[in-house]
Structures are given as C-alpha cells and as structure tokens.
Amino acid sequence: MRATKVPEAVVEETEHGRVVASEGWFVLNLGDAAAHANGQAGTYVPFESDDHRWPEFGANVHIVHPGQPNCFYHQETAQEAFLVLSGECLLIVEEQERPLKQWDFVHCPSGTRHVFVGTGDGPCAILMIGARPEANDIHYPVSEVAARHGASVGVATDVPREAYAEWPGSFTPVRSPWPIR
C-alpha cells in the first residue's frame, strides 16, 4: 500500500446535533451526534450521514426502551456484530430467546435471523456494526417467538417498505439522548 494522506472529514453542526458532511477520518462524540427516533423502534445514533455512507460497513448505536424492538425479526446477507453498551435487552435469534446485559457481544453470520427487544428497568444501548456487501438481500420471516414481543411481520416479505408499512411514521431527526437516562 502506498502512503497517502487521508483528509479530515467536515463535521457540521445542525439543529439536531453534529453530522459528518464529507469523506475522511473524524472524531464524533456520541452525545454531540444527531440522532433519529421512532416511538416504535427507539433511537439510533449513526456515525455517518445519508450523503456520506461508508462503502464497506455501517455502524450506529441503537437505544431501545423496555418492550421496544429495534426493528422486525429479519435476516440479511450481511455479516453483523453487536455489543450491549448499557442496560438489558432480549436477543431473539434463530427462534431462541437470549437475555443480554452490558458488555455482551453477539456475532451474526450472514443469514442469521435476529432482533433485539429492550428489557429491564430502563433503556438499553447497543453498538451495531454490519458489513455492506454489493448485494445485501434482506428477508423478514414470520416468527412466533418475535411476535410475542411485537417484533415480527404478519406476512413474510423481502421488501422493507412492506415489512414496516403499519409502523407509525418513520425515524425523525432528534438530539442524541447520550448519555442515556
């Protein structure tokens, strides 16, 4: 590899927090970053913007409250990894329930069906990292186990828009809730 100088990214201040606005390396405090919230699925804090997505992997911190799933039970062709930063949640993986607590790490190879649901007395923050293969197919199967927690589609689909058609609204920009309270 030839030595090259990578520029520092521009990080802009918005009404909802700081957002990465160009390519390059950067430092971004989770408490300063812009976030996105949905009453059904919690809040996530991305480390990249829609205009400047990383080509090889994605990363965010997702915060769910007791009873909130982070999404619907699904599987995708991308490999993913998760680290519980604080709080407690329930991992539903391959039709099994696994309680998780702070510092539990989860690896999901390509094709692993999974979802997280907040549990405990307060919010749960999960670092989520996923590969970005050229073709990332996603499937939302019907799951009896996930349905008990409000985290399953009623009809299997490969189309995210169909999977989330009945959820109330989309994620809207908000200030980061970090540190979570």
Side-chain angles (χ1 to χ4, degrees), residues 153-175:
V153 293
V155 176
T157 183
D158 296 337
V159 181
R161 190 172 328 196
E162 290 175 9
Y164 295 102
E166 295 184 22
W167 271 31
S170 59
F171 282 89
T172 56
V174 296
R175 283 252 168 217

Side-chain angles (χ1 to χ4, degrees), residues 25-56:
W25 67 268
F26 62 88
V27 175
L28 182 61
N29 184 285
L30 202 55
D32 297 333
H36 303 274
N38 176 300
Q40 182 81 18
T43 302
Y44 76 95
V45 184
F47 295 107
E48 59 186 333
S49 68
D50 289 339
D51 294 335
H52 298 284
R53 289 173 51 92
W54 305 333
E56 297 164 356

Side-chain angles (χ1 to χ4, degrees), residues 1-2 6 9 21 24 55 73 77 86 92 95 98 101 107 109 111 114 118 127 131 136 141 145 156 163 171-172 174:
M1 176 181 267
R2 218 175 85 191
V6 176
Y73 188 69
T77 52
S86 65
I92 302 168
E95 297 300 308
R98 296 288 173 96
K101 62 185 183 321
H107 174 251
H114 64 283
L127 174 63
N136 185 20
V145 177
F171 282 89
T172 56
V174 296

